[in-house]
Amino acid sequence: MIATIARRELWDAYTKSSTWVALAAAQLILAWLLFLQLEVYLKILPELVAGNSPMGLIDTVITPTLSSAALISLILIPLQGMGSFADELRSGRMTLLLSAPVSPWQLVIGKWLGLLLATLPLLLIPLVMTWVLELGSAVDAGRLAASFLGLLLFAAMAAAISVWLSAISEQPMTAAAMSWGLLFLLWLLDGSNGGVMQSLSLNAQLSSFQQGLIATPNIIYFSAITLSALSLAVHRIWRLGGGE
């Protein structure tokens, strides 16, 4: 049943012209940013070589591009996921869904998985673009893989938050606005001083992956928020179904 719901969500996403427009816009923006970073890198390359700087292509080009990809995902995922449940609530189809032989957790996981699969091309675009750079320069494959894992965990978290908040509001744009608010709050937290702020800072968590570090606390951070959001969504759907 989860697979059926996920396939339906995926089909719905890619039969909308807005999805293709968003992917095309994201690709253009990322390509432009990549070439800008590459131009800067080529200008400072003689200085880096002369000074024996440890900074290379991945620090000056790839990492900033992947950070931009995360920010674009932060904007687009709530847009894609805002109607996950909000559309069902607004149209009255939620009553039909709740009467179907499917549990709240299956419904939520199916919606979340479908949204996550729909956003995969958004994550693969920067990965392919940066991987192409290996044709002309050595790229740390392990660090690139760690960066992609960080992006994937971030997308899973953002999708879970979007699905949860979509279950709260009947208005898709309200759900998107709430998702943006929460995600931008986590994004803008200053984690440079350590302590609690660093533990909650989305930027700090992503930076660890971009440096090639796959640490347990970082994985726990994304997993905990993802599972919490999904649990809250399941509870909300359960309550809508008459649960006490």
Side-chain angles (χ1 to χ4, degrees):
M1 185 59 71
I2 291 176
T4 301
I5 297 171
R7 281 197 300 269
R8 180 198 165 203
E9 292 297 307
L10 192 59
W11 174 260
D12 287 346
Y14 282 100
T15 52
K16 295 177 182 176
S17 59
S18 58
T19 300
W20 296 102
V21 170
L23 286 175
Q27 184 172 4
L28 287 173
I29 292 171
L30 286 172
W32 178 64
L33 292 173
L34 178 66
F35 282 119
L36 283 180
Q37 294 292 340
L38 191 57
E39 185 179 8
V40 171
Y41 171 71
L42 292 175
K43 285 182 179 179
I44 65 173
L45 182 58
E47 298 177 15
L48 295 176
V49 173
N52 291 321
S53 173
M55 292 182 64
L57 186 69
I58 196 164
D59 297 291
T60 55
V61 178
I62 295 178
T63 295
T65 301
L66 293 177
S67 295
S68 299
L71 186 56
I72 292 173
S73 299
L74 186 153
I75 296 170
L76 293 183
I77 290 176
L79 278 178
Q80 286 187 298
M82 64 183 181
S84 295
F85 284 111
D87 282 342
E88 314 284 7
L89 289 167
R90 188 175 55 170
S91 65
R93 292 195 303 266
M94 181 59 75
T95 303
L96 183 61
L97 280 176
L98 294 174
S99 64
V102 55
S103 64
W105 75 267
Q106 288 176 318
L107 191 56
V108 168
I109 297 300
K111 293 269 189 183
W112 168 73
L113 188 58
L115 176 57
L116 182 58
L117 290 174
T119 61
L120 273 182
L122 186 61
L123 307 182
L124 291 173
I125 288 171
L127 182 68
V128 172
M129 290 169 60
T130 52
W131 191 264
V132 169
L133 295 176
E134 190 177 29
L135 298 175
S137 178
V139 175
D140 187 339
R143 188 169 171 182
L144 190 59
S147 297
F148 178 72
L149 176 60
L151 271 179
L152 184 60
L153 290 172
F154 164 71
M157 182 193 78
I161 289 173
S162 298
V163 168
W164 163 44
L165 294 176
S166 179
I168 292 176
S169 174
E170 293 185 5
Q171 299 300 322
M173 282 309 301
T174 301
M178 290 191 294
S179 299
W180 285 327
L182 181 54
L183 289 169
F184 271 112
L185 175 63
L186 294 173
W187 183 273
L188 295 174
L189 285 176
D190 183 10
S192 60
N193 296 323
V196 177
M197 285 297 185
Q198 185 173 17
S199 300
L200 295 176
S201 171
L202 180 53
N203 252 327
Q205 304 298 326
L206 282 174
S207 293
S208 295
F209 285 100
Q210 291 168 356
Q211 292 167 11
L213 303 175
I214 303 178
T216 301
N218 303 129
I219 295 176
I220 290 175
Y221 171 87
F222 288 107
S223 300
I225 296 178
T226 299
L227 291 174
S228 297
L230 291 175
S231 298
L232 289 169
V234 170
H235 182 263
R236 170 63 175 167
I237 300 304
W238 177 70
R239 291 295 300 272
L240 288 173
E244 297 294 338

